[in-house]
Amino acid sequence: MRAAVKLKYGLQLWLLVTGLCSGVAVLQAQEDLNGLYQLAVTNNADYRAALANTEAEREELTKARALFYPKVQLGLTKGRGNTDRTTQTTLGAVNSELDYSLENYNLSVKQPLFNRETMAIYGGAKSYVSAQESLLEQENAKLILKLVSVYLETLYAQDRVSVQQRKLDAVSQQLRQADQRYVHGSGTVVEVSEAQSNLDVAKVEHIQASNDLLSNQQSLQILTGASQGLSATLVVDGLRGLNASTQSLDHWLAMARQHHPELAAAYQNVEVAKKDIEKKQAGHYPTLDLVGVRSYSQNDSNNTLGSRFDTTTIALQMNVPLFAGGYVNANVRQSASRLTASEESMTAKSREIEFNVRKYYQSLQAQQQSISAYQQAVQSASVALDGTQKGFMAGFKTNHEVLDAQQKLFTNQLSLTKAYYSLISDWVNLQFSSGLLTLETLNRVSQLFTLNK
């Protein structure tokens, strides 16, 4: 009995520990960028809508392909008829009333043999579906870009709150020291008032930082459905790999022209417009079909009363357009204008993409220089603060000078942190503008952070 009880409680303890460990693993997975991406794919309504719309548009290709297959129709008619018939004879008009049953069954098969419009529709459908697939790829890249952006903004907001808290603690300490000096007669009211004013400002800045953090956390929750905060630390040494200078600007521009989904979609839209011209020009061409009909009829009209017909026909059917009043030509000119519009849209999109590639390439290089400058600024501010604090203890520096040195250090540290995140953001945007933002890129960014246990 005791052994059974011990086994029972041991099993319950094991399940509890396993559950807790699993819960921790799930939470950590949600804080990881790859885990957050999986949540975003599952929970983000915009992306789910894009998936559904693309799935719907894929059916356009199936619909176009169906035009090449035979069409089979079955017609059935069965009922009764009543006819008042007047027949002219040598004796005059003879009236008779006929009451009869009528039947008509027919099975028809029509196989298209030549139809330029159908071929153009199919070619246009292939290009259209390819464009929609490219746009879905772009939506996925946008989701990754938005996730990284919100993730970095949330981490920066957390760092900002942390710095503001340290600043608030430092200013509070300065106020306590000013009060003590004033009580002992070595301080002034002005010094106390300045410290109180600085404390009030620090409180406001801390409230603003906390509010921004809450807003970013809510954005992350809306995007992924994850409600807990982030606890990740940036591995600064990993930023060395985010260097655009390893490839020339021309390389990134070539990648964009070759891989960018929106540019690929614009090209496919041009192809759709070309196929639409072919479709409209098909109005000048004949169509050829193979038609087979099997029919049975009895009393199906007044001229066939009392007769039955059992018929099988196979024929080639050709329709040749002769004149449509200029309708076809107007359609062709209309489609030609739309082709020009599609080509101009593709040119505009290409220029926009090239502009973004250049912008983020140059910004990435500027961020690398900014990081070096801010690192030196943080180091200098740290040395200056240490010297000012020692001077204050020796009586050569004032409380205001110590506080000013602390403010410079906090500001430089926050600016350096922002520069780190801006470097990552610019690198991801460069990948996005070049059409290279994939899950592999997301995984590389995720490796820049370690989760705090």
Side-chain angles (χ1 to χ4, degrees):
M1 178 67 70
R2 292 182 179 178
V5 171
K6 288 182 179 180
L7 178 61
K8 176 182 178 182
Y9 284 109
L11 180 60
Q12 290 177 345
L13 180 60
W14 178 81
L15 291 173
L16 177 61
V17 172
T18 303
L20 291 175
C21 292
S22 300
V24 171
V26 170
L27 290 176
Q28 290 180 345
Q30 290 179 355
E31 292 180 6
D32 176 73
L33 264 174
N34 293 316
L36 289 172
Y37 169 78
Q38 297 301 327
L39 291 175
V41 168
T42 304
N43 296 301
N44 187 258
D46 291 336
Y47 184 69
R48 302 295 296 179
L51 280 175
N53 287 330
T54 303
E55 189 64 29
E57 298 302 340
R58 289 191 184 108
E59 297 300 332
E60 290 296 328
L61 188 57
T62 305
K63 290 161 59 178
R65 193 181 294 115
L67 298 176
F68 293 99
Y69 295 133
K71 293 182 179 179
V72 182
Q73 290 184 330
L74 176 65
L76 304 173
T77 303
K78 187 170 184 179
R80 296 198 61 80
N82 183 276
T83 301
D84 291 330
R85 183 170 65 182
T86 301
T87 305
Q88 297 293 332
T89 66
T90 56
L91 299 177
V94 177
N95 295 324
S96 60
E97 182 177 352
L98 303 176
D99 188 15
Y100 54 92
S101 61
L102 57 91
E103 296 181 32
N104 189 309
Y105 310 106
N106 68 82
L107 177 67
S108 65
V109 180
K110 183 177 182 181
Q111 172 62 56
L113 298 179
F114 176 79
N115 191 317
R116 284 201 60 171
E117 181 179 5
T118 298
M119 291 185 285
I121 290 175
Y122 179 70
K126 289 198 297 183
S127 297
Y128 177 76
V129 171
S130 296
Q132 299 306 308
E133 297 284 357
S134 296
L135 291 178
L136 178 61
E137 182 182 346
Q138 179 70 357
E139 286 298 321
N140 184 68
K142 286 181 179 180
L143 181 63
I144 295 175
L145 179 65
K146 187 174 182 180
L147 174 61
V148 172
S149 177
V150 175
Y151 186 80
L152 294 177
E153 289 174 358
T154 303
L155 288 179
Y156 174 71
Q158 291 181 170
D159 292 339
R160 184 182 167 198
V161 170
S162 177
V163 170
Q164 292 297 338
Q165 184 61 52
R166 288 162 54 196
K167 179 179 177 180
L168 185 61
D169 294 340
V171 174
S172 299
Q173 182 180 2
Q174 294 296 327
L175 178 58
R176 289 193 297 269
Q177 291 175 351
D179 286 333
Q180 291 176 359
R181 284 194 300 274
Y182 178 73
V183 171
H184 291 88
S186 59
T188 64
V189 176
V190 174
E191 186 180 14
V192 174
S193 298
E194 287 181 352
Q196 181 64 53
S197 177
N198 291 330
L199 178 60
D200 294 336
V201 172
K203 288 180 179 179
V204 172
E205 292 176 346
H206 186 269
I207 292 173
Q208 292 175 342
S210 299
N211 185 64
D212 291 341
L213 173 58
L214 180 60
S215 177
N216 286 308
Q217 288 175 337
Q218 290 174 344
S219 298
L220 185 63
Q221 182 178 1
I222 292 173
L223 184 62
T224 65
S227 58
Q228 76 279 358
L230 303 178
S231 58
T233 301
L234 176 65
V235 181
V236 178
D237 291 339
L239 297 179
R240 297 174 182 175
L242 308 186
N243 189 354
S245 301
T246 55
Q247 301 289 348
S248 66
L249 177 60
D250 290 336
H251 167 80
W252 291 104
L253 291 173
M255 290 296 101
R257 298 187 192 102
Q258 184 178 356
H259 297 288
H260 201 286
E262 284 189 340
L263 196 57
Y267 173 78
Q268 294 297 336
N269 286 334
V270 171
E271 294 300 309
V272 171
K274 290 179 180 179
K275 292 300 180 182
D276 190 59
I277 292 179
E278 293 182 16
K279 173 184 173 182
K280 300 302 172 55
Q281 289 174 337
H284 292 300
Y285 289 82
T287 61
L288 180 63
D289 303 300
L290 177 64
V291 180
V293 179
R294 170 71 174 170
S295 65
Y296 170 83
S297 63
Q298 176 182 350
N299 301 330
D300 63 340
S301 70
N302 290 334
N303 296 326
T304 61
L305 292 180
S307 302
R308 296 181 180 180
F309 299 91
D310 194 349
T311 307
T312 301
T313 61
I314 299 178
L316 289 175
Q317 185 180 80
M318 176 178 285
N319 293 310
V320 181
L322 297 178
F323 180 70
Y327 180 84
V328 175
N329 291 333
N331 266 339
V332 171
R333 291 193 300 270
Q334 186 181 56
S335 296
S337 297
R338 289 172 178 166
L339 172 61
T340 302
S342 298
E343 291 173 337
E344 294 298 331
S345 296
M346 184 175 67
T347 301
K349 179 57 66 176
S350 177
R351 291 172 180 171
E352 177 187 346
I353 291 172
E354 288 186 6
F355 171 80
N356 289 331
V357 170
R358 294 177 187 275
K359 179 178 70 173
Y360 289 113
Y361 182 85
Q362 295 166 356
S363 179
L364 189 57
Q365 292 179 321
Q367 288 298 340
Q368 291 170 338
Q369 297 173 359
S370 298
I371 287 175
S372 298
Y374 280 127
Q375 287 174 337
Q376 183 62 44
V378 169
Q379 183 178 357
S380 300
S382 180
V383 173
L385 175 59
D386 184 61
T388 303
Q389 288 176 333
K390 291 180 180 178
F392 176 75
M393 297 300 295
F396 299 112
K397 296 291 183 178
T398 64
N399 183 48
H400 180 76
E401 289 175 315
V402 173
L403 182 60
D404 184 59
Q406 288 177 331
Q407 299 286 358
K408 289 180 179 179
L409 177 60
F410 294 150
T411 300
N412 290 336
Q413 287 175 334
L414 197 57
S415 297
L416 177 60
T417 301
K418 186 175 183 179
Y420 286 150
Y421 293 145
S422 296
L423 176 70
I424 299 173
S425 178
D426 286 342
W427 185 78
V428 172
N429 273 285
L430 180 60
Q431 300 289 322
F432 177 77
S433 300
S434 303
L436 304 175
L437 185 54
T438 61
L439 289 179
E440 182 180 352
T441 308
L442 182 67
N443 183 58
R444 187 172 177 183
V445 175
S446 180
Q447 292 175 354
L448 296 173
F449 298 91
T450 57
L451 298 181
N452 302 323
K453 297 182 180 180

